[in-house]
Amino acid sequence: ENKTIEVELTARQAGALTIKAQAFADGGVRAEIAEQVLVRRANLKVEVVGSKVKYAGTTSTYQVRVSNTGNAPADKVQVAAMLPLEAKFVSANNGGRYEAEQAKVVWAAGTLQPGADRQFEMQCTLQAPGENRLQIVAMGERDLSGSAMSATRVEALADLKLEVRDPQGPMPVGEDAVYEVIVRNRGTKAAEGVDLVVFFSEGLEATAVQGGSHDIGHGQVMFKPI
C-alpha cells in the first residue's frame, strides 16, 4: 500500500535548495529521500548618473539605468524618481509621467528578462542651495525592489545688474534733473556689502538723494554699503 502526501513550500532564497523527506515506523523501520530544487529569482539593480555640481536655477540631467541581474524574469517593473526639495520638473523620456503632488517621475518598465536593462532620462531645475538628492526606486512583482541615489551640490550666486534712467529730453540750465539708479540682483543668493558710487560730469552736482544712507561729495554720491 502507498499514500501520497502533498506539502506546499515557498522558497525564501534563490539557488539550489535541498528538500528531504523521512519516514519512521515501529520496529526501527526508516526511509528517506532528498531532492534538489533550483530556485530562480529576478534581481533589480538601479544606477543613476547626474551632475555633481550645478548652479541654482540651472537644469540638471539624470541618466537612470534599471537592469535585471537575476536568473528569472522581472515582471511589471515600475521606476520612480523622487525629485529634490524645491526642484522643478522639466522633462522625461520613454513615457515618464510627472506626479506633481508627490514630486516624482514614474516610468513603466514592463518585463525585464534576465540580463536585460532599460534606460531613462529626466531633467529638472534645481533651486535649493546645498546638497540636492535624487532618489530612484524600482519595484516589481514578488517583492522585487532596488534603489539608488544621486547627490548634486547646488551653488547659489548673486548677479547684479545696474540701470540708470536719465531725464527725457534737454533740461534748462539751473533746473533740477532727476536721475534714477536701479540695482537689481538677478541671482539666487543675497548680495552682501554692495558699494554704490554715482559720478557726475563737470557742471552737474547732486542736490538731494533718496533711497539709502549716503554722502554727497564734489561731483559724486557715495552710498553706504547695501
Side-chain angles (χ1 to χ4, degrees):
E1 182 181 8
N2 63 70
K3 289 187 178 181
T4 301
I5 300 174
E6 292 185 357
V7 180
E8 184 175 319
L9 305 175
T10 300
R12 297 301 183 188
Q13 65 186 56
L17 302 182
T18 300
I19 301 175
K20 285 186 177 181
Q22 295 178 333
F24 302 88
D26 292 342
V29 179
R30 173 176 176 173
E32 66 178 45
I33 192 172
E35 283 286 339
Q36 275 204 335
V37 177
L38 179 62
V39 179
R40 300 181 183 274
R41 179 175 173 82
N43 183 66
L44 294 178
K45 180 181 178 181
V46 181
E47 300 168 281
V48 55
V49 177
S51 303
K52 297 300 181 183
V53 180
K54 296 291 288 187
Y55 291 111
T58 59
T59 299
S60 183
T61 301
Y62 295 92
Q63 306 284 344
V64 180
R65 180 173 179 263
V66 180
S67 56
N68 179 6
T69 58
N71 54 10
D75 297 322
K76 297 183 179 179
V77 177
Q78 296 279 333
V79 183
M82 274 65 74
L83 271 61
L85 186 65
E86 298 182 23
K88 295 182 179 179
F89 172 73
V90 176
S91 65
N93 68 350
N94 293 339
R97 182 180 74 259
Y98 178 60
E99 298 181 358
E101 291 185 357
Q102 297 180 324
K104 68 178 182 180
V105 181
V106 179
W107 292 273
T111 298
L112 291 178
Q113 297 296 329
D117 66 73
R118 292 286 304 276
Q119 298 187 32
F120 309 94
E121 181 180 293
M122 62 156 291
Q123 292 183 324
C124 63
T125 302
L126 303 177
Q127 304 283 356
E131 188 176 72
N132 285 240
R133 295 186 177 186
L134 180 79
Q135 185 76 24
I136 308 294
V137 176
M139 302 185 69
E141 286 190 334
R142 295 180 290 277
D143 298 327
L144 288 178
S145 65
S147 64
M149 186 270 293
S150 177
T152 302
R153 190 175 79 253
V154 175
E155 300 285 352
L157 295 176
D159 181 15
L160 296 179
K161 180 183 179 182
L162 183 64
E163 179 183 353
V164 179
R165 297 177 182 175
D166 56 356
Q168 297 297 316
M171 299 292 295
V173 174
E175 184 174 323
D176 285 343
V178 178
Y179 290 85
E180 186 177 10
V181 180
I182 301 172
V183 182
R184 180 178 292 109
N185 182 7
R186 303 178 298 181
T188 54
K189 181 181 180 181
E192 304 288 346
V194 178
D195 293 320
L196 176 64
V197 181
V198 181
F199 298 95
F200 299 95
S201 62
E202 185 177 355
L204 289 176
E205 292 293 340
T207 56
V209 181
Q210 297 178 355
S213 300
H214 61 275
D215 294 319
I216 298 179
H218 178 65
Q220 66 181 15
V221 175
M222 294 173 291
F223 286 86
K224 303 296 183 182
I226 303 170

